[in-house]
């Protein structure tokens, strides 16, 4: 299984901190946002490689970081440069994933993650869930706020956590199950992934692919066993430093 980290975005809401520096490599205590995530994922026996997709603007920074930090992890790190240098020319999260899959000729189960979260659970639980279900999987968590549900993906589930439907940013959410940007796509479903964009899948957000896959194959959703902290602004970054950086 490959761990695919989508780190190609331009974090405009963090101002000068990320104008010329990638958000996933911002410090949280003596580690980085991405480093904390890899510390967890690297312990999963099924993972044999970490693939980090970045834009060209930050590729050199990621290469330097991986060179100095790689001894920290058992599994090798591969940096993929998508060739873009501005927010206006970015490929979008889905196309970044397809770019890396083609460039590296990946034909394996995939754990796909966004690189801007602090997690309070272990990814091993998610991998075990997908193995038990035998399907590609997404995560979900209960979100009581209708306003927040209107800004994210929302799924309907049956009693066995099978996904019955998914909507992106619904005005009238059909459930309180919100979908964070963490996914497992099994090898048997990779043809669907490879041809998703040409068949109408949205390009920008990783949730676009999850929505497309829900409509084309059987998916299950793992209810997160603990919380996550999404770093999307200066305020939330400083809050994360205060909460997790001790």
């Amino acid at each position: 299984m490959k761990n695919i980290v989508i780190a190609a975005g331009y974090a405009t809401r963090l101002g000068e901190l990320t104008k010329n520096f990638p958000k996933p490599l911002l410090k949280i205590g003596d580690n980085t946002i991405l480093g904390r995530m890899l510390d967890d994922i690297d312990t999963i026996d099924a993972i044999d490689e970490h693939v980090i997709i970045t834009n060209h603007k930050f590729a050199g920074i990621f290469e330097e970081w991986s060179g100095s930090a790689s001894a920290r992890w058992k599994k090798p790190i591969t940096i993929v440069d998508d060739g873009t240098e501005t927010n206006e020319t970015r490929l979008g999260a889905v196309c970044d994933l397809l770019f890396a899959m083609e460039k590296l000729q990946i034909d394996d189960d995939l754990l796909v993650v966004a690189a801007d979260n602090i997690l309070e659970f272990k990814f091993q639980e998610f991998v075990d869930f997908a193995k038990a279900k035998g399907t590609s999987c997404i995560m979900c968590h209960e979100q009581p706020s209708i306003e927040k549900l209107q800004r994210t993906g929302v799924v309907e589930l049956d009693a066995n956590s099978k996904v019955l439907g998914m909507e992106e940013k619904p005005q009238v959410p059909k459930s309180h199950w919100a979908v964070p940007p963490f996914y497992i796509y099994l090898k048997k479903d990779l043809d669907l992934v490879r041809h998703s964009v040409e068949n109408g899948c949205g390009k920008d957000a990783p949730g676009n692919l999850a929505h497309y896959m829900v409509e084309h194959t059987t998916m299950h959703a793992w209810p997160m066993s603990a919380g996550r902290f999404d770093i999307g602004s200066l305020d939330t970054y400083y809050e994360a430093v205060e909460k997790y950086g001790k």
Side-chain angles (χ1 to χ4, degrees):
M1 176 180 279
K2 308 295 184 189
N3 170 35
I4 310 291
V5 180
I6 307 294
Y10 295 85
T12 55
R13 293 172 61 194
L14 276 82
E16 291 298 316
L17 272 182
T18 53
K19 183 177 180 180
N20 294 299
F21 193 80
K23 178 167 65 167
L25 298 187
L26 291 176
K27 285 281 192 175
I28 302 288
D30 62 356
N31 205 340
T32 63
I33 300 170
L34 176 56
R36 293 173 65 100
M37 186 176 285
L38 293 190
D39 283 350
D40 174 36
I41 295 174
D42 196 65
T43 66
I44 301 172
D45 288 341
I47 296 293
D48 57 27
E49 183 181 11
H50 304 293
V51 177
I52 299 170
I53 310 165
T54 177
N55 52 56
H56 182 67
K57 181 177 180 180
F58 295 147
I61 298 173
F62 276 104
E63 290 282 5
E64 182 179 353
W65 166 82
S66 67
S68 61
S70 60
R72 183 184 181 103
W73 302 292
K74 298 177 182 177
K75 317 298 171 62
I77 296 175
T78 300
I79 307 298
V80 176
D81 178 354
D82 75 2
T84 69
E85 298 190 57
T86 67
N87 195 43
E88 291 70 33
T89 60
R90 71 190 187 280
L91 298 183
V94 177
C95 287
D96 272 314
L97 173 59
L98 300 185
F99 180 86
M101 287 173 63
E102 181 176 0
K103 184 176 180 66
L104 301 180
Q105 295 296 292
I106 293 173
D107 190 30
D108 196 359
D109 296 342
L110 305 180
L111 170 63
V112 180
V113 301
D116 54 0
N117 290 256
I118 302 294
L119 308 177
E120 297 173 351
F121 56 84
K122 300 294 186 182
F123 271 105
Q124 182 71 64
E125 300 173 77
F126 186 36
V127 172
D128 291 344
F129 176 86
K131 183 177 181 180
K133 294 298 184 183
T135 69
S136 295
C137 291
I138 59 179
M139 283 192 196
C140 64
H141 62 90
E142 286 200 77
Q143 174 53 260
S145 167
I146 296 298
E147 183 180 353
K148 290 182 178 179
L149 288 168
Q150 290 171 336
R151 299 198 301 267
T152 189
V154 178
V155 288
E156 296 176 88
L157 309 178
D158 71 9
N160 294 313
S161 298
K162 179 181 176 180
V163 181
L164 303 177
M166 179 174 176
E167 292 182 290
E168 283 293 318
K169 301 180 180 179
Q171 284 304 298
V172 183
K174 295 179 180 178
S175 82
H176 285 278
W177 290 114
V179 181
F182 312 115
Y183 319 92
I184 288 175
Y185 298 121
L186 297 186
K187 179 178 177 179
K188 65 183 181 180
D189 286 332
L190 290 194
D191 270 348
L192 282 173
V193 174
R194 291 188 186 97
H195 298 288
S196 57
V197 171
E198 67 189 69
N199 288 321
C201 176
K203 302 176 183 180
D204 288 339
N208 292 145
L209 180 58
H211 191 175
Y212 176 87
M213 296 295 285
V214 162
E215 294 179 343
H216 290 83
T217 190
T218 300
M219 301 274 286
H220 286 82
W222 177 62
M224 288 162 44
S225 61
R228 69 164 181 135
F229 195 95
D230 181 13
I231 299 172
S233 66
L234 276 175
D235 287 344
T236 53
Y237 170 63
Y238 291 129
E239 188 178 343
V241 170
E242 178 66 23
K243 184 175 182 180
Y244 299 102
K246 304 301 184 186

